Amino acid sequence: MDTFDNFQYDSASSYGGIPVVDDNSSIVSGYTTNTQNRLPANLESLSSLSISKHSGSSNVEQQAFIKPSADEDLDGVLDDLKDESAVELPPHACSYCGIHSPSSVVKCLVCSKWFCNSRGNTSASHIVNHLVRAKHKEVILHAESPLGETTPECYNCGSKNVFMLGFIPAKSDTVVVLLCRQPCAAISKDISWNATLWAPLIDDRSFLSWLVKPPSEAEQLRSRQISFAQINRLEDLWRENAHATLEDLEKPGVDDEPQPILLRYEDAYQYQNIFGPLVKIEADYDKRLKESQTQTDISVRWDLGLNHKRVAWFNLPKLESGEVRLAVGDELRLRYQGELHKPWEGVGHVIKIPNNISDEIGLELRKSEGVPTELTHNFIADFVWKSTSFDRMQLAMKTFAVDEKSVSGYIYHKLLGHELEPQGLRTQMPKRFSAPGLPELNHSQI
């Protein structure tokens, strides 16, 4: 599966000039809230579904679609800019710039934040910037948008990964069908559409204009101007506080940078004072990353091991998608907070990870008392974070600073970056390096 950091799509301009849809076109998506029984959703108010940048008629339509009377609204925009601080934005306003046109914003289903399809001062649209940065994949359109409150999904398998979704114009009707790139679009044999015409929903790092309308120039002038650096800082802040806003970045202490590392250090205390906070920051980040990998709605199959310990067998969807890593011996916490049993939790270690035989994970619990083996649904799996490696780093730096004999003088000054004469070790080298019963080593191996 493609990673977020490297997602690339072929330009959709190669599909231009296909007269397959018109103003009364529809979009067919599987399992959506407003497409019960897989009925097409109406697209009556859309001007065009063409994504071609080279088709003359489409280009005129797109210009008319994106630039509605910018010159006439300029005076009003300047007046609005003066009173911007007094305006209370609606809940569906873009979390970056504040644009709130229903046809130009979408909601991230993972974090429930709204973002627009405007690029602003960045190379990608705000919604794509957020999805890539936060590694989220699912969105829903606004209820008042031309398509209504629709979740883009694969018509065949129901996948909601917008980075894998694309559309195919149907042959027999004015509709487009949403299909994921792999495997549905690749293996589709349906005669009602041509799989070779598949084109992505995200092109040039923004959603297609017929799906999410780009804001007008007047709206963009009226919006809050945000830089790429501010977006990154805000995304980092959301990991700690999901309700943080752009104004929180200006608070004292939020953006304090640690001391930069040096090429040379005066003594071990300066070395510890610089590297200690850096190790602490890395430990906090690693802990947040582990805790964010919690998965809910897990179905468990119970078993009893040969050592008479309870073993829970279950699947982790995030593990299958490559978002998390798991190894034999890692600790997991299994919890139940449903209505059929009192709250329960148990810690165990992984004894089996997915392989070519089974995708199940085996978790051997430490304690077998009170395990709700009669229940199989509504379990929660937490990754247990261990600070062992970071504690060792901090202890080593503390010992290095307070104990003069912790390392030799040569290693001490070498770690601090001081200029030293190379020091050789006086030792008697053996004449033969080979072990008994093994062939002799050649000169390149010695």
Side-chain angles (χ1 to χ4, degrees):
M1 182 175 290
D2 296 344
T3 63
F4 280 90
D5 296 329
N6 300 307
F7 76 91
Q8 296 290 336
Y9 296 97
D10 297 334
S11 174
S13 60
S14 59
Y15 301 95
I18 304 174
V20 295
V21 287
D22 56 19
D23 294 347
N24 297 319
S25 300
S26 300
I27 181 172
V28 180
S29 173
Y31 308 104
T32 56
T33 56
N34 63 345
T35 53
Q36 299 295 330
N37 300 322
R38 300 197 174 189
L39 293 178
N42 192 12
L43 300 182
E44 292 180 352
S45 59
L46 297 182
S47 60
S48 175
L49 285 182
S50 175
I51 58 175
S52 171
K53 296 181 181 178
H54 305 292
S55 173
S57 61
S58 176
N59 192 33
V60 173
E61 290 174 352
Q62 286 183 355
Q63 290 179 359
F65 190 59
I66 298 175
K67 304 178 180 178
S69 305
D71 294 336
E72 298 177 3
D73 294 341
L74 184 57
D75 294 337
V77 169
L78 295 176
D79 294 337
D80 290 339
L81 288 174
K82 298 178 182 178
D83 302 330
E84 182 181 3
S85 59
V87 175
E88 183 176 352
L89 297 176
H92 64 269
C94 177
S95 299
Y96 288 164
C97 65
I99 288 178
H100 49 82
S101 174
S103 61
S104 301
V105 295
V106 293
K107 181 181 180 181
C108 175
L109 285 177
V110 179
C111 61
S112 298
K113 291 183 173 63
W114 291 87
F115 299 90
C116 69
N117 203 29
S118 166
R119 297 179 186 271
N121 298 322
T122 63
S123 60
S125 67
H126 288 168
I127 176 59
V128 173
N129 257 321
H130 167 72
L131 294 176
V132 173
R133 182 73 178 175
K135 296 186 177 180
H136 298 165
K137 304 176 184 178
E138 302 174 2
V139 300
I140 186 171
L141 306 185
H142 194 280
E144 298 179 10
S145 67
L147 294 177
E149 193 173 14
T150 304
T151 301
E153 297 176 328
C154 177
Y155 174 73
N156 190 37
C157 68
S159 171
K160 300 179 183 178
N161 185 350
V162 294
F163 294 100
M164 297 290 290
L165 287 177
F167 75 96
I168 299 177
K171 298 178 181 178
S172 59
D173 200 359
T174 55
V175 297
V176 292
V177 180
L178 298 187
L179 290 175
C180 61
R181 181 172 53 187
Q182 289 291 342
C184 297
I187 64 175
S188 177
K189 303 297 182 181
D190 198 305
I191 60 174
S192 61
W193 59 70
N194 186 354
T196 60
L197 300 181
W198 185 93
L201 294 183
I202 296 178
D203 180 56
D204 193 22
R205 288 172 285 189
S206 65
F207 279 91
L208 298 178
S209 60
W210 60 262
L211 184 65
V212 186
K213 174 186 173 183
S216 65
E217 287 188 354
E219 289 176 313
Q220 296 187 45
L221 286 172
R222 191 181 296 115
S223 66
R224 181 195 303 121
Q225 302 302 311
I226 183 172
S227 65
F228 183 71
Q230 289 176 310
I231 288 177
N232 289 339
R233 289 163 54 196
L234 188 58
E235 289 286 349
D236 292 337
L237 190 58
W238 279 338
R239 293 190 178 97
E240 302 177 3
N241 179 14
H243 303 289
T245 62
L246 193 62
E247 288 73 20
D248 294 328
L249 295 178
E250 308 303 326
K251 294 181 179 180
V254 173
D255 199 31
D256 290 345
E257 293 290 334
Q259 297 183 60
I261 59 174
L262 306 174
L263 292 177
R264 295 175 180 84
Y265 302 88
E266 295 181 2
D267 52 31
Y269 287 100
Q270 185 186 24
Y271 184 92
Q272 183 200 16
N273 290 337
I274 291 179
F275 277 95
L278 295 176
V279 173
K280 177 67 165 56
I281 293 174
E282 180 68 19
D284 293 340
Y285 173 78
D286 189 67
K287 183 178 180 181
R288 289 197 304 269
L289 189 64
K290 279 284 187 182
E291 292 175 348
S292 67
Q293 294 171 351
T294 296
Q295 298 193 53
T296 59
D297 297 330
I298 293 178
S299 298
V300 177
R301 177 175 63 86
W302 296 102
D303 196 4
L304 189 64
L306 297 177
N307 55 0
H308 300 288
K309 290 187 176 181
R310 289 292 178 184
V311 179
W313 298 92
F314 52 89
N315 293 329
L316 292 180
K318 288 186 178 181
L319 187 66
E320 298 173 3
S321 62
E323 296 181 30
V324 299
R325 295 181 180 179
L326 193 66
V328 174
D330 287 354
E331 283 194 4
L332 294 178
R333 180 182 294 107
L334 200 61
R335 294 185 289 127
Y336 179 82
Q337 294 181 340
E339 301 176 353
L340 301 178
H341 192 277
K342 64 180 182 180
W344 169 88
E345 69 174 40
V347 178
H349 65 275
V350 177
I351 60 174
K352 188 258 179 191
I353 58 177
N355 51 29
N356 56 356
I357 300 177
S358 170
D359 291 334
E360 282 188 318
I361 294 172
L363 182 69
E364 184 180 271
L365 301 178
R366 293 178 181 173
K367 298 180 180 179
S368 300
E369 296 79 13
V371 178
T373 55
E374 70 278 5
L375 304 176
T376 58
H377 292 77
N378 296 327
F379 282 87
I380 303 172
D382 301 322
F383 285 77
V384 178
W385 181 75
K386 291 186 176 182
S387 62
T388 305
S389 59
F390 300 101
D391 292 341
R392 289 174 178 172
M393 295 181 198
Q394 296 286 11
L395 179 60
M397 286 188 291
K398 181 179 179 180
T399 304
F400 179 61
V402 300
D403 187 359
E404 298 179 354
K405 298 181 180 180
S406 59
V407 294
S408 67
Y410 179 80
I411 295 178
Y412 177 87
H413 290 285
K414 201 69 175 176
L415 289 174
L416 298 180
H418 299 166
E419 295 291 339
L420 296 173
E421 290 291 333
Q423 186 178 26
L425 298 177
R426 297 180 180 179
T427 181
Q428 185 68 31
M429 301 296 290
K431 295 181 179 180
R432 298 182 61 184
F433 290 90
S434 298
L438 295 178
E440 294 285 339
L441 301 178
N442 57 43
H443 66 280
S444 65
Q445 295 174 310
I446 299 177

